[in-house]
Amino acid sequence: MSTEKNRLNHIAIIMDGNGRWAKRRGLPRSAGHKKGAETVKDIAKAVNERGIRFLTLYAFSTENWQRPAEEVKTLMDLLRQYLKYDLEEMRKNNIRIRFIGERDMLDQDIAESMAQLESKTAGNLGMTLVLAISYGARQEIVAAAKKIAALVKKGDMSESDIDLKLFSDMLYTRDIPDPDILIRTSGEQRISNYLLWQAAYAEMFFTETLWPDFSAEELDKVIEKFYSRERRYGKI
């Protein structure tokens, strides 16, 4: 049963395993990424139907830029298609769309499409889908520290003004609640520079399932386990 302490508002997912899914089937890695994009639609729909207010997906990390140029190009082309068609469908379902990450590393047309979708869906009242693209948590924290340092140097704030809330307000997720659940697919058990600040008290779930095979049924099992846990936040 849900309690005030155990209320589920936000699920964050590290979508891992697209390449392995394709390899096991003798397909190119691009096929795994395409199937993974379809899973995004299915899981976003499932989360929205369950009344959960926020879903944040790790779509492309700052470290992913180091992958082979051909794969990066494939991922960027798939992102362009996704922004044009799949996310437009979500917009019609009253889903608000947000992006977090270093947009200046993206091609201009992609960054512009992201800004347009955010603007178009700003008034939507359903679930908020947050896509972390060109995102790295360490980079996000450093950027926040630089913002604060600049404000202190300018005289707009003093050292005594700096607290947990102020620091949180300097992050990409400043108006988004911290995740209650963090899921990683594919069997890997690490968080890979994802929401390091925000996930401080998230309940962690690791599944062997590769992302393209992750289903609404498996999501429900995670949610059920979440409600069986007691979240004490360091208290007795």
Side-chain angles (χ1 to χ4, degrees), residues 109-175:
D109 66 304
I110 292 177
E112 289 176 352
S113 294
M114 289 162 58
Q116 288 171 8
L117 268 170
E118 286 180 319
S119 177
K120 284 181 181 178
T121 64
N124 288 1
L125 301 177
M127 178 192 78
T128 296
L129 173 63
V130 185
L131 292 171
I133 297 175
S134 191
Y135 172 86
R138 287 180 171 179
Q139 292 86 338
E140 177 185 25
I141 291 169
V142 168
K146 287 181 176 179
K147 288 179 189 175
I148 293 171
L151 290 169
V152 172
K153 183 178 180 180
K154 192 178 176 182
D156 289 342
M157 73 169 58
S158 66
E159 181 182 341
S160 62
D161 295 325
I162 303 170
D163 58 15
L164 294 177
K165 183 182 185 308
L166 185 141
F167 197 91
S168 293
D169 288 344
M170 295 294 172
L171 299 172
Y172 295 135
T173 55
R174 56 189 164 272
D175 54 353

Side-chain angles (χ1 to χ4, degrees), residues 27-201:
L27 300 171
R29 288 176 64 86
S30 59
H33 294 311
K34 289 177 182 176
K35 184 66 170 66
E38 293 175 13
T39 303
V40 168
K41 288 194 293 183
D42 294 340
I43 296 303
K45 180 181 178 184
V47 170
N48 192 35
E49 288 174 347
R50 285 150 182 76
I52 299 164
R53 300 296 298 167
F54 293 87
L55 172 65
T56 300
L57 302 175
Y58 205 6
F60 190 86
S61 73
T62 48
E63 289 77 18
N64 287 156
W65 289 112
Q66 301 172 37
R67 290 188 177 186
E70 186 62 30
E71 181 169 356
V72 171
K73 182 181 183 302
T74 296
L75 287 167
M76 290 300 110
D77 288 343
L78 182 61
L79 177 57
R80 285 185 175 90
Q81 181 180 349
Y82 191 76
L83 290 169
K84 186 174 182 180
Y85 298 108
D86 298 287
L87 289 180
E88 178 64 22
E89 179 181 333
M90 292 186 193
R91 181 185 71 82
K92 294 176 182 175
N93 291 327
N94 202 32
I95 292 175
R96 185 185 181 193
I97 299 167
R98 294 276 304 276
F99 299 94
I100 58 174
E102 299 183 34
R103 302 190 193 195
D104 56 354
M105 298 179 73
L106 298 164
D107 288 342
Q108 184 177 350
D109 66 304
I110 292 177
E112 289 176 352
S113 294
M114 289 162 58
Q116 288 171 8
L117 268 170
E118 286 180 319
S119 177
K120 284 181 181 178
T121 64
N124 288 1
L125 301 177
M127 178 192 78
T128 296
L129 173 63
V130 185
L131 292 171
I133 297 175
S134 191
Y135 172 86
R138 287 180 171 179
Q139 292 86 338
E140 177 185 25
I141 291 169
V142 168
K146 287 181 176 179
K147 288 179 189 175
I148 293 171
L151 290 169
V152 172
K153 183 178 180 180
K154 192 178 176 182
D156 289 342
M157 73 169 58
S158 66
E159 181 182 341
S160 62
D161 295 325
I162 303 170
D163 58 15
L164 294 177
K165 183 182 185 308
L166 185 141
F167 197 91
S168 293
D169 288 344
M170 295 294 172
L171 299 172
Y172 295 135
T173 55
R174 56 189 164 272
D175 54 353
I176 297 170
D178 289 343
D180 303 295
I181 289 174
L182 193 153
I183 301 168
R184 181 168 187 151
T185 60
S186 88
E188 302 293 346
Q189 296 190 21
R190 56 182 179 273
I191 58 175
S192 298
N193 200 20
Y194 183 48
L195 300 177
L196 297 178
W197 177 277
Q198 299 89 338
Y201 282 101

